[in-house]
Amino acid sequence: KCLNNENLMPTEISKKTRLTTAQVSVALHDMKKRKIVRCMNEDATKGRIYQCTNLGLKIIETLDSTGFNPDR
């Protein structure tokens, strides 16, 4: 959810979520395959920036409307 309206690098996501960078990278890879996020600068080897796709934003909206809170 931290990508909701932001473009972030994996290290920034890691700090916001308190997950390791490795965990974030695996999750981003999986979400990218499912077209939930996209990499804005695919050719970069470092400092890749990710953003939610329309599908990702729709998923967040749906979860929010159900009262889902991942921090519980």
Side-chain angles (χ1 to χ4, degrees), residues 9-69:
M9 293 186 293
T11 53
E12 295 169 316
I13 297 169
S14 178
K15 288 175 187 172
K16 284 185 169 217
T17 61
R18 291 179 281 177
L19 296 171
T20 67
T21 305
Q23 290 170 315
V24 169
S25 293
V26 169
L28 286 170
H29 178 76
D30 186 49
M31 289 188 288
K32 195 171 106 180
K33 283 194 320 189
R34 297 170 192 268
K35 300 189 186 309
I36 297 170
V37 300
R38 73 181 192 107
C39 182
M40 302 293 293
N41 54 341
E42 196 70 50
D43 294 333
T45 54
K46 285 190 172 192
R48 287 187 174 175
I49 299 171
Y50 290 86
Q51 77 172 178
C52 276
T53 61
N54 287 336
L55 174 61
L57 293 172
K58 190 174 244 183
I59 291 169
I60 290 169
E61 185 180 307
T62 301
L63 290 173
D64 283 347
S65 72
T66 65
F68 177 75
N69 182 357

